[in-house]
């Protein structure tokens, strides 16, 4: 599925009007074609600002929420970023344009394989994908400059807090899975953590263990 320049311009306009104003984030979102990450029945809706179903009963997030989360993460070109919840791979692809390296994990092997194939097809070489329960983080590569969680936990998982570098930032939705959640930003200080509430959001839950597919 391909979309014309007018549709893409409208998409960027919508992002801006919903508060995504960081030029680097907008440029990254212009570079990543969302249509590469939405397959099947909903492919023709890739440029609408709404979450859409993907395999394994999961969703690709709403683009304006992706933009606002990416903006809140304040990624710089030397950063090593960990993303929990690969899903379609769309968010990871955007992060890959802003960071030095991205590690992304999902509990569904099937989603990880599909995302990896898309990254290869698009010549994106600075993303490492793996299948695991991401709430444990990734000790082998810790600490991380930035951590982004794209599934909701009741509280920030302890291992992720521990794997954040001092001065590092984590953005994540917290709250019950069936209710409105809060998007929060956690900054690691020398002496503890600083918490900042950004807005309300709705994400699929952060679940334990591996998925069946
Ligand atoms: N960032 C994705 C959207 C994610 S949807 C995108 O850009 O498309 C949330 C994802 O989190 C789902 O794919 C779900 O399988 C995954 N997930 C939920 N709990 C998880 C866990 N404990 N570890 C890793 N992934 C998890």
């Amino acid at each position: 599925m391909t979309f014309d320049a007018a549709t893409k311009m409208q998409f960027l306009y919508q992002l801006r009007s919903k508060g995504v104003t960081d030029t680097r984030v907008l440029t990254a979102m212009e570079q990543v074609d969302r249509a590469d990450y939405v397959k099947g029945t909903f492919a023709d809706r890739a440029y609408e600002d709404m979450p859409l179903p993907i395999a394994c009963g999961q969703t690709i997030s709403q683009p304006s929420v992706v933009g606002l989360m990416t903006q809140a993460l304040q990624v710089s070109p030397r950063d090593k970023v960990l993303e929990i919840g690969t899903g379609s791979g769309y968010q990871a692809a955007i992060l890959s344009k802003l960071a030095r390296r991205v590690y992304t994990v999902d509990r569904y092997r099937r989603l990880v394989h599909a995302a990896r194939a898309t990254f290869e097809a698009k010549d994106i070489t600075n993303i490492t994908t793996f299948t695991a329960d991401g709430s444990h983080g990734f000790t082998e590569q810790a600490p991380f400059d930035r951590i982004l969680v794209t599934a909701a936990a009741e509280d920030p998982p302890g291992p992720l807090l521990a794997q954040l570098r001092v001065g590092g930032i984590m953005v994540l939705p917290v709250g019950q899975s069936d209710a409105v959640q809060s998007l929060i930003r956690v900054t690691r200080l020398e002496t503890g953590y600083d918490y900042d509430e950004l807005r309300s959001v709705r994400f699929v839950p952060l679940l334990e263990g591996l998925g069946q597919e």
Side-chain angles (χ1 to χ4, degrees), residues 5-213:
T7 305
K8 291 183 178 177
M9 217 137 96
Q10 178 65 29
F11 177 74
L12 289 169
Y13 175 79
Q14 260 214 59
L15 292 175
R16 260 188 238 108
S17 72
K18 293 196 175 164
V20 186
T21 50
D22 183 314
T23 316
R24 289 186 66 235
V25 174
L26 286 166
T27 304
M29 294 187 77
E30 194 174 357
Q31 287 169 349
V32 176
D33 187 354
R34 191 167 184 251
D36 291 330
Y37 299 87
V38 183
K39 311 227 159 79
T41 326
F42 296 95
D44 60 333
R45 305 180 79 166
Y47 277 84
E48 290 177 27
D49 190 29
M50 50 173 8
L52 295 169
I54 56 171
C56 305
Q58 304 303 311
T59 52
I60 176 172
S61 311
Q62 183 177 351
S64 55
V65 173
V66 170
L68 291 169
M69 286 174 89
T70 309
Q71 188 165 282
L73 203 59
Q74 297 169 18
V75 183
S76 61
R78 297 176 59 178
D79 286 348
K80 179 162 80 170
V81 183
L82 174 65
E83 183 202 19
I84 315 300
T86 311
S88 66
Y90 178 62
Q91 170 77 73
I94 291 164
L95 292 170
S96 80
K97 306 292 178 199
L98 299 166
R100 178 168 56 83
R101 177 146 287 278
V102 178
Y103 294 87
T104 183
V105 54
D106 205 287
R107 55 191 291 280
Y108 285 105
R109 183 166 292 110
R110 183 172 158 202
L111 292 176
V112 169
H113 286 179
R116 189 182 293 155
T118 310
F119 302 148
E120 274 169 21
K122 295 278 130 196
D123 281 325
I124 299 175
T125 55
N126 62 337
I127 303 180
T128 303
T129 50
F130 59 105
T131 308
D133 177 347
S135 50
H136 305 299
F138 189 36
T139 42
E140 291 88 333
Q141 284 296 332
F144 294 95
D145 302 295
R146 299 290 183 265
I147 300 178
L148 184 60
V149 187
T150 65
E154 288 195 20
D155 294 299
L160 299 183
L161 289 170
Q163 290 174 31
L164 195 60
R165 184 189 300 287
V166 171
I169 298 174
M170 169 157 70
V171 171
L172 75 164
V174 289
Q176 307 276 349
S177 61
D178 53 355
V180 171
Q181 305 136 6
S182 302
L183 186 66
I184 63 165
R185 174 167 51 199
V186 183
T187 307
R188 183 161 193 179
L189 312 170
E190 294 279 358
T191 51
Y193 298 87
D194 196 34
Y195 294 85
D196 193 5
E197 211 172 306
L198 304 176
R199 55 169 281 160
S200 47
V201 283
R202 237 186 150 127
F203 275 84
V204 299
L206 188 74
L207 297 173
E208 273 179 37
L210 289 186
Q212 290 303 312
E213 293 180 79

